[in-house]
Amino acid sequence: MFVGAIFFPLLGACISGFLGRWIGDKAAQWSTVICMVLAAICGSLAFGQVALSGHPVTVEIVTWMDVGGLEFAWALRYDTLAAVMVAMVTFISTLIHLYSVGYMSHDETPSRFFAYLSLFTFMMLMLVTADNLAQLFFGWEGVGLASYLLIGYWYDRESANRAAMKAFIVNRVGDVSFMLGVALTFYVFGSIEFDTIFAAVPQHLEDRFGGIPALELIGVLLFIGACGKSAQLGLHTWLPDAMEGPTPVSALIHAATMVTAGVFLVCRMSPVFEYAPTALAVVTVVGASTALFAATIGCVQNDIKRVIAYSTCSQLGYMFFAAGVGAYQVAMFHLFTHAFFKALLFLGAGSVIHAMSDEQDIRKMGGIWSKIPITYAVMWIGNLALAGIPFFAGYYSKDAILEAAFASHSGVGMYAFLCGMIAAFLTAFYSWRLLILTFHGAPRADHHTMEHVHESPAVMLIPLLLLAVGAVLTGYIFAPLFIGEHEHGFWHGAILNAEHNHILHAMHEVPAWVPLAPTVMGIGGIALAYVFYMLAPGIPGRLATAFRGLYLFLLNKWYFDELYDAIFVRPARRLAMVFWKTGDAQIIDGMPNGAASLAVGVARGAVRIQTGRVANYAFAMIIGLVVFVSLFLIGR
Amino acid sequence: MTWTLALPELVLAIAGLVILVAGVLPKQETFFPVSMACIGSLLLAAVLVLGQPEGTALGGHYVADDFSGFMKLLAIGGAAIGILLSLDYNTKEGLGRFEFPLLMLLATIGMMVMISANDLLSLYLGLELLSLPLYVIAAFNRDSARSAEAGLKYFVLGALASGLLLYGSSLVYGFAGTTNFDRLADAFSADSGVTAGVVVGIVFVIAGLAFKVSAVPFHMWTPDVYEGAPTPVTAFFAAAPKVAAIALLARVLVGPFGDLAGQWQQVITLVSLGSMTLGGFAAIGQRNIKRLMAYSSIGHVGYALMGLAVANDVGLRGLLVYMAIYVAMNLGTFAVLIAMRRKGRAVEQVEDLAGLGRTDLGTAVWMAVFMFSMAGIPPLAGFFGKLYVFLAAVQAGFWTLAVVGVLTSVVSAYYYLRIVKVMFFDAPAGALDPAPASLTVVMAASGLFTLFFVLWPAPLLAAAQAAAAALLG
């Protein structure tokens, strides 16, 4: 069961990837789906046993490395934290595999797509069940690889290739920091196995590395790694571009699972972070800033998938600042509910794109709600959950995050609370902007496209409906377990809250207006969207003209890409150019080329002596003799 | 009388006379049986050399020791394989006359006398006995102007070299009062200083011998003669006589003139430097592969002389190992060159090898092995040959020699590898005729030696060590 949940996806990936050519696309697709169903069953059972019944286990597979003091194994660590992730990942991945069968039906190489998708799932599961940092890093890089392959899946598109490379390279920046963090962990603790590290934290509270408290440094380094994977402010630029991949990929990797790996990492390392207050403050500030920053950009984007991508970025910011104020459980809860409604939103968007003949610009949509009613309904559900409207999943988790931020009573906590509040308002606004522009109003697509608008096939609708159920119910059902009264028994020590951390109690004792505020903000945002885009459609245009600078600033995503291009990309290219033209072509190539032409010259000279005339030869001999004799006589 | 010590030479001489008579008598051409008889006699001589006791004979003119044994076996082996290589070629080119193997046999006797010489006179005797048959076989294809030219050039320049040698000998005799190596050694070690006449005499002797090993600046004849002579003759020139002349050079310089090492070392160093450099560069532009091999052999002599310039036991061991490996891979290479025929006509341009890797993989692979080995690529035998001489030079502090040696072997790698490139990557110029069995056997034998020397180098090293020790006394 424990092993099956992880390795069924790998089996599926191998079948589809290596045998897909022989067994045919249909068989390859369905074999991965079946493997995923089996994995999901195993995952759910594991969740039941580990999280609900409270029996964490660690399954050791084989010793991986045993070098000097460094020893670790391939092992599956099933505690509640891992079990939650395994159940969620396998469940959502199964639905997305199923959805992809319909979505990718017109593709030419679906077996390759499904192989990548299953490979990704396997790597993600490796990541979450790792019992040491090396295995976690293996999964970490594995999901990065799968992400690269899937973003660039349509490799004949230049933009897809660029996006894939961008995602990979930006992630490398975070990975360097992650690796440094792992190395420093080994330096400080002498081990990279979680149990050993966590047990040894109290002995290393005073350790310093280069004058900086070692735990703080580890925390910050690991967090920068997490920033890369989870697209936090500064390293977020790859996520919107990653929407070049097929939509199911966006749903699975760039919304529900991979991008949350950073949050998972912070929660997993909670015993270390708990004793690194500065690192936690950094996490809070970066998370809160991202939440606000991404929400502002989301308000003006026109590509349906990019809007949702910035929304993802923003929601990840929420999770980080929840973890930053010490409420890891709340962060995990939001991660869990977010996975459902964000996957739902992406798949719904995919359904819209499918219906609109691959059109992604919401300015060219509109007036299609009656033609695709089911998609329309599930998009509503997804957006209600995202906006945090009461009794949908997002309401429980987002409220809890803001309460926790408020309850932390620290400067950074209040900053996070404020950012979160504004972001909640903006989230609701851009969600309904998306909804209204996409489905309502007069049709702005051409006649030909409108005629072909159709509801998606059942194989795509079933996953949508299941996720919609999740988006409605997961908050209500799981809130008591994740963050409510059963929280202690549920987590079973998988997440550590130090003695000084009472946030989970404090968050229930905030003033009465605090739990209400996010809902008010959400409804306000929705109302504003209705005013702007339904009742008085002229206002957005006038605002954009009036605040042209601000509008362009947001539309161009705060000019991050341009900034990075100017600071890093172009200087690097110029430097490379110098090395290539001068260093390589002139100096390095010049030396052997010069030597070679010299050799040719010498050879010509040597051959010219060879005249073919005996007299010359004899003369050369005599000259040589004379030279030697004189040399001999002088040197004597 | 201790003439029995010279049994190998005597047996070979008598066998040569008997075969000569036997070859003349029959009506029809006796090329093949005579060749076989010559090879048989050479093998017999080799066996006798193996059983030869140590000592001096014939009034101190003749010496037998480990050094002479080693070199004689090498020379006899080279000569026997040289005859083997000529069998097919001579028949096809209309050169299948019985005098050919016989002349090689006589030359071999000359070499053996040279190697065992312990007196300036026996040295000269052996050298002339070697040279005269060589002049003849260089011009053996007398209908070809190039062959005749080669023979004539070799004769004229060879006569000059002989004259230099003889003049040098007379100078040495005039100033030292003896021609016997042992007594010369005594004379030079007793005297505190040497007269200028002796010095000039030594240089003249060196010049005469350097001509035979085609070392710079006495190498000028080599490319022309190698190109003009029939290919089996070139193969013979490049192997056996070189061994004998190198042996003689080593014996003369280390033996009687051993105490003057400080003086002749610089001459040998210069000769070595010049040969390595010329061998490395001049071959680059060559299109005729025999001419290319001529420059290649000049370069190899330069490397071998590096061992002599060091003039200690490590250096001499390196020299001997180098010569043994050189003879082996050179004979293999020439087996390939002799096999180069297209539609019955011999071809000898580098381009004629184009695409050999596709038309005749076996031959091409052996050729590649020889070329890589000559370029000194590990783990082939040629690498170890270079390794031992470079090692000696570095240990003894001859940095210039070692550095120039390494650099020129880089340069020479170019033209060796170019042949490999032409064989495997150029478009085929048309298939070559299949190689006859005798040549394939030689190719395979020397190819296997070149390939697997790395696994079992001890016997050769031990023999070379013993020979070097014998020479240094």
Side-chain angles (χ1 to χ4, degrees), chain A residues 162-184:
Chain A
R162 282 175 179 278
M165 277 165 58
K166 187 173 179 184
F168 203 78
I169 292 168
V170 173
N171 265 297
R172 298 311 299 172
V173 177
D175 291 345
V176 170
S177 170
F178 186 100
M179 284 187 272
L180 289 175
V182 175
L184 185 60

mmCIF file of all heavy atoms in Angstrom, chain A residues 162-184:
data_model
loop_
_atom_site.group_PDB
_atom_site.id
_atom_site.type_symbol
_atom_site.label_atom_id
_atom_site.label_comp_id
_atom_site.label_asym_id
_atom_site.label_seq_id
_atom_site.Cartn_x
_atom_site.Cartn_y
_atom_site.Cartn_z
ATOM 1 N N ARG A 162 11.055 28.569 -24.907
ATOM 2 C CA ARG A 162 11.599 29.644 -24.074
ATOM 3 C C ARG A 162 11.054 29.556 -22.658
ATOM 4 O O ARG A 162 11.794 29.691 -21.680
ATOM 5 C CB ARG A 162 11.216 30.995 -24.661
ATOM 6 C CG ARG A 162 12.046 31.392 -25.844
ATOM 7 C CD ARG A 162 11.511 32.695 -26.418
ATOM 8 N NE ARG A 162 12.313 33.109 -27.554
ATOM 9 C CZ ARG A 162 13.456 33.757 -27.429
ATOM 10 N NH1 ARG A 162 13.913 34.063 -26.237
ATOM 11 N NH2 ARG A 162 14.151 34.088 -28.494
ATOM 12 N N ALA A 163 9.739 29.316 -22.561
ATOM 13 C CA ALA A 163 9.129 29.252 -21.239
ATOM 14 C C ALA A 163 9.709 28.097 -20.442
ATOM 15 O O ALA A 163 9.985 28.224 -19.238
ATOM 16 C CB ALA A 163 7.614 29.098 -21.378
ATOM 17 N N ALA A 164 9.922 26.949 -21.116
ATOM 18 C CA ALA A 164 10.460 25.790 -20.417
ATOM 19 C C ALA A 164 11.852 26.089 -19.886
ATOM 20 O O ALA A 164 12.193 25.792 -18.735
ATOM 21 C CB ALA A 164 10.498 24.592 -21.364
ATOM 22 N N MET A 165 12.661 26.731 -20.740
ATOM 23 C CA MET A 165 14.017 27.044 -20.287
ATOM 24 C C MET A 165 14.008 28.067 -19.168
ATOM 25 O O MET A 165 14.781 27.977 -18.216
ATOM 26 C CB MET A 165 14.839 27.556 -21.461
ATOM 27 C CG MET A 165 15.394 26.427 -22.292
ATOM 28 S SD MET A 165 15.977 26.953 -23.888
ATOM 29 C CE MET A 165 17.172 28.154 -23.444
ATOM 30 N N LYS A 166 13.090 29.026 -19.292
ATOM 31 C CA LYS A 166 13.009 30.045 -18.252
ATOM 32 C C LYS A 166 12.652 29.409 -16.921
ATOM 33 O O LYS A 166 13.281 29.685 -15.891
ATOM 34 C CB LYS A 166 11.968 31.077 -18.650
ATOM 35 C CG LYS A 166 11.895 32.269 -17.739
ATOM 36 C CD LYS A 166 10.958 33.301 -18.324
ATOM 37 C CE LYS A 166 10.827 34.507 -17.417
ATOM 38 N NZ LYS A 166 9.843 35.453 -17.961
ATOM 39 N N ALA A 167 11.661 28.522 -16.959
ATOM 40 C CA ALA A 167 11.250 27.857 -15.724
ATOM 41 C C ALA A 167 12.422 27.101 -15.124
ATOM 42 O O ALA A 167 12.689 27.176 -13.915
ATOM 43 C CB ALA A 167 10.094 26.905 -16.009
ATOM 44 N N PHE A 168 13.147 26.399 -15.961
ATOM 45 C CA PHE A 168 14.240 25.579 -15.452
ATOM 46 C C PHE A 168 15.353 26.451 -14.879
ATOM 47 O O PHE A 168 15.870 26.185 -13.793
ATOM 48 C CB PHE A 168 14.784 24.713 -16.583
ATOM 49 C CG PHE A 168 15.497 23.491 -16.102
ATOM 50 C CD1 PHE A 168 14.780 22.398 -15.661
ATOM 51 C CD2 PHE A 168 16.875 23.442 -16.071
ATOM 52 C CE1 PHE A 168 15.417 21.282 -15.203
ATOM 53 C CE2 PHE A 168 17.526 22.324 -15.608
ATOM 54 C CZ PHE A 168 16.786 21.237 -15.173
ATOM 55 N N ILE A 169 15.696 27.503 -15.609
ATOM 56 C CA ILE A 169 16.835 28.323 -15.183
ATOM 57 C C ILE A 169 16.494 29.100 -13.910
ATOM 58 O O ILE A 169 17.297 29.158 -12.972
ATOM 59 C CB ILE A 169 17.254 29.263 -16.318
ATOM 60 C CG1 ILE A 169 17.835 28.441 -17.473
ATOM 61 C CG2 ILE A 169 18.279 30.276 -15.837
ATOM 62 C CD1 ILE A 169 18.019 29.218 -18.734
ATOM 63 N N VAL A 170 15.288 29.680 -13.866
ATOM 64 C CA VAL A 170 14.924 30.421 -12.660
ATOM 65 C C VAL A 170 14.889 29.473 -11.452
ATOM 66 O O VAL A 170 15.343 29.823 -10.361
ATOM 67 C CB VAL A 170 13.562 31.121 -12.851
ATOM 68 C CG1 VAL A 170 13.107 31.753 -11.553
ATOM 69 C CG2 VAL A 170 13.656 32.157 -13.935
ATOM 70 N N ASN A 171 14.414 28.256 -11.705
ATOM 71 C CA ASN A 171 14.414 27.291 -10.607
ATOM 72 C C ASN A 171 15.807 26.938 -10.144
ATOM 73 O O ASN A 171 16.033 26.661 -8.975
ATOM 74 C CB ASN A 171 13.668 26.023 -11.029
ATOM 75 C CG ASN A 171 12.223 26.065 -10.597
ATOM 76 O OD1 ASN A 171 11.949 26.108 -9.404
ATOM 77 N ND2 ASN A 171 11.309 26.100 -11.541
ATOM 78 N N ARG A 172 16.759 26.944 -11.089
ATOM 79 C CA ARG A 172 18.140 26.628 -10.692
ATOM 80 C C ARG A 172 18.646 27.634 -9.668
ATOM 81 O O ARG A 172 19.419 27.294 -8.777
ATOM 82 C CB ARG A 172 19.104 26.656 -11.885
ATOM 83 C CG ARG A 172 18.850 25.688 -12.985
ATOM 84 C CD ARG A 172 18.652 24.312 -12.529
ATOM 85 N NE ARG A 172 19.813 23.772 -11.826
ATOM 86 C CZ ARG A 172 19.809 22.617 -11.189
ATOM 87 N NH1 ARG A 172 18.712 21.902 -11.149
ATOM 88 N NH2 ARG A 172 20.877 22.179 -10.589
ATOM 89 N N VAL A 173 18.234 28.891 -9.826
ATOM 90 C CA VAL A 173 18.695 29.909 -8.884
ATOM 91 C C VAL A 173 18.265 29.519 -7.471
ATOM 92 O O VAL A 173 19.063 29.543 -6.528
ATOM 93 C CB VAL A 173 18.117 31.288 -9.272
ATOM 94 C CG1 VAL A 173 18.533 32.326 -8.262
ATOM 95 C CG2 VAL A 173 18.576 31.673 -10.662
ATOM 96 N N GLY A 174 16.992 29.125 -7.357
ATOM 97 C CA GLY A 174 16.531 28.674 -6.047
ATOM 98 C C GLY A 174 17.245 27.411 -5.611
ATOM 99 O O GLY A 174 17.587 27.250 -4.432
ATOM 100 N N ASP A 175 17.489 26.505 -6.581
ATOM 101 C CA ASP A 175 18.089 25.220 -6.233
ATOM 102 C C ASP A 175 19.484 25.377 -5.646
ATOM 103 O O ASP A 175 19.889 24.621 -4.762
ATOM 104 C CB ASP A 175 18.159 24.316 -7.471
ATOM 105 C CG ASP A 175 16.773 23.875 -7.890
ATOM 106 O OD1 ASP A 175 15.845 24.041 -7.074
ATOM 107 O OD2 ASP A 175 16.617 23.384 -9.018
ATOM 108 N N VAL A 176 20.229 26.340 -6.167
ATOM 109 C CA VAL A 176 21.575 26.568 -5.625
ATOM 110 C C VAL A 176 21.467 26.843 -4.132
ATOM 111 O O VAL A 176 22.185 26.259 -3.310
ATOM 112 C CB VAL A 176 22.247 27.752 -6.337
ATOM 113 C CG1 VAL A 176 23.523 28.142 -5.617
ATOM 114 C CG2 VAL A 176 22.534 27.403 -7.778
ATOM 115 N N SER A 177 20.537 27.717 -3.801
ATOM 116 C CA SER A 177 20.346 28.058 -2.405
ATOM 117 C C SER A 177 19.891 26.844 -1.602
ATOM 118 O O SER A 177 20.348 26.606 -0.483
ATOM 119 C CB SER A 177 19.324 29.182 -2.322
ATOM 120 O OG SER A 177 18.947 29.382 -1.017
ATOM 121 N N PHE A 178 18.997 26.072 -2.223
ATOM 122 C CA PHE A 178 18.525 24.853 -1.553
ATOM 123 C C PHE A 178 19.695 23.924 -1.255
ATOM 124 O O PHE A 178 19.838 23.407 -0.146
ATOM 125 C CB PHE A 178 17.513 24.164 -2.466
ATOM 126 C CG PHE A 178 16.843 22.965 -1.853
ATOM 127 C CD1 PHE A 178 15.575 23.074 -1.312
ATOM 128 C CD2 PHE A 178 17.469 21.734 -1.811
ATOM 129 C CE1 PHE A 178 14.952 21.983 -0.746
ATOM 130 C CE2 PHE A 178 16.857 20.645 -1.239
ATOM 131 C CZ PHE A 178 15.597 20.768 -0.702
ATOM 132 N N MET A 179 20.560 23.734 -2.239
ATOM 133 C CA MET A 179 21.700 22.834 -2.049
ATOM 134 C C MET A 179 22.627 23.359 -0.958
ATOM 135 O O MET A 179 23.132 22.584 -0.143
ATOM 136 C CB MET A 179 22.472 22.672 -3.362
ATOM 137 C CG MET A 179 21.779 21.761 -4.341
ATOM 138 S SD MET A 179 22.770 21.419 -5.784
ATOM 139 C CE MET A 179 22.318 22.752 -6.846
ATOM 140 N N LEU A 180 22.835 24.677 -0.951
ATOM 141 C CA LEU A 180 23.656 25.252 0.112
ATOM 142 C C LEU A 180 23.013 24.977 1.467
ATOM 143 O O LEU A 180 23.695 24.658 2.441
ATOM 144 C CB LEU A 180 23.812 26.759 -0.103
ATOM 145 C CG LEU A 180 24.697 27.161 -1.280
ATOM 146 C CD1 LEU A 180 24.670 28.671 -1.453
ATOM 147 C CD2 LEU A 180 26.119 26.699 -1.051
ATOM 148 N N GLY A 181 21.689 25.094 1.486
ATOM 149 C CA GLY A 181 20.977 24.821 2.732
ATOM 150 C C GLY A 181 21.181 23.391 3.189
ATOM 151 O O GLY A 181 21.433 23.126 4.368
ATOM 152 N N VAL A 182 21.105 22.460 2.233
ATOM 153 C CA VAL A 182 21.308 21.046 2.576
ATOM 154 C C VAL A 182 22.730 20.836 3.085
ATOM 155 O O VAL A 182 22.966 20.148 4.084
ATOM 156 C CB VAL A 182 21.024 20.152 1.357
ATOM 157 C CG1 VAL A 182 21.364 18.708 1.674
ATOM 158 C CG2 VAL A 182 19.575 20.268 0.931
ATOM 159 N N ALA A 183 23.681 21.456 2.376
ATOM 160 C CA ALA A 183 25.081 21.293 2.778
ATOM 161 C C ALA A 183 25.305 21.851 4.181
ATOM 162 O O ALA A 183 25.974 21.230 5.017
ATOM 163 C CB ALA A 183 25.991 22.005 1.782
ATOM 164 N N LEU A 184 24.711 23.007 4.438
ATOM 165 C CA LEU A 184 24.888 23.605 5.762
ATOM 166 C C LEU A 184 24.223 22.751 6.838
ATOM 167 O O LEU A 184 24.755 22.598 7.942
ATOM 168 C CB LEU A 184 24.309 25.022 5.761
ATOM 169 C CG LEU A 184 24.534 25.819 7.039
ATOM 170 C CD1 LEU A 184 26.015 25.974 7.309
ATOM 171 C CD2 LEU A 184 23.881 27.181 6.954
#
